[in-house]
Each structure stands twice: as C-alpha cells, then as structure tokens.
Amino acid sequence: MIKVLAACGAGVNSSHQIKDAIESEFKNRGYNLKCDAVMIKDVNEELLSQYDIFAQIAKTDFGFEVKTPIVDAGPILYRMPAMAKPVYDKIEAIIKEKGLN
C-alpha cells in the first residue's frame, strides 16, 4: 500500500479534494494507494515519517527537515487535466523511484 498525505488549513476542503483526486487517478493507473487528509497544523516529523509522499497544497516551513518526498499538489484543485497530469506524473515517478509499485 502506497501512503500519501495531503494537508490544508482546515483539513476539510482542499486536502479532501486532492485526496479524492489522487486516489481516483492512481486506482485508474493500477496502484494500491491510500491518501489521508489532515490539518496542516497537525503535520509533524513523526506523522510524515509514516507516509511515502507528502502532497502539499502550499509550501510550508515546518521548522524541521522534511524527509518524505514532497509533491506540490495545488494544481489538482484547478480541475484542469493539463495542470493535474504533471502532479500525478510526479507522484508516479516517486513511486517508481522508491520501488513502491
């Protein structure tokens, strides 16, 4: 199971849209992937260590070094395939690079 974390200000709207879009896209691509959505204030080093990829909506300074690969997932929110595809492709590249498939 590939684990992705998405986070936004309230952990309700944007992160859930990204979660749903990523899970749907990667199901179509044949991957066993689960994405969780949380409030950005709840993201810490320990939480991130449990995920393979962090799909951030906005660049955030957490005050610690993020070791989990980061993908800027904000373009997914525009719901334009031409903008979302590079995000999905980057996630897939990380999956392949880390040997998660």
Side-chain angles (χ1 to χ4, degrees), residues 9-25:
V12 177
N13 191 12
S14 298
S15 59
H16 278 274
Q17 289 179 47
I18 288 172
K19 167 192 166 25
D20 293 342
I22 289 173
E23 287 180 340
S24 177
E25 177 68 22

Side-chain angles (χ1 to χ4, degrees), residues 80-99:
M80 295 175 65
M83 294 181 78
K85 185 178 182 319
V87 176
Y88 300 138
D89 291 347
K90 178 151 187 181
I91 292 171
E92 186 169 37
I94 292 169
I95 289 168
K96 290 179 177 178
E97 182 181 301
K98 291 181 78 173

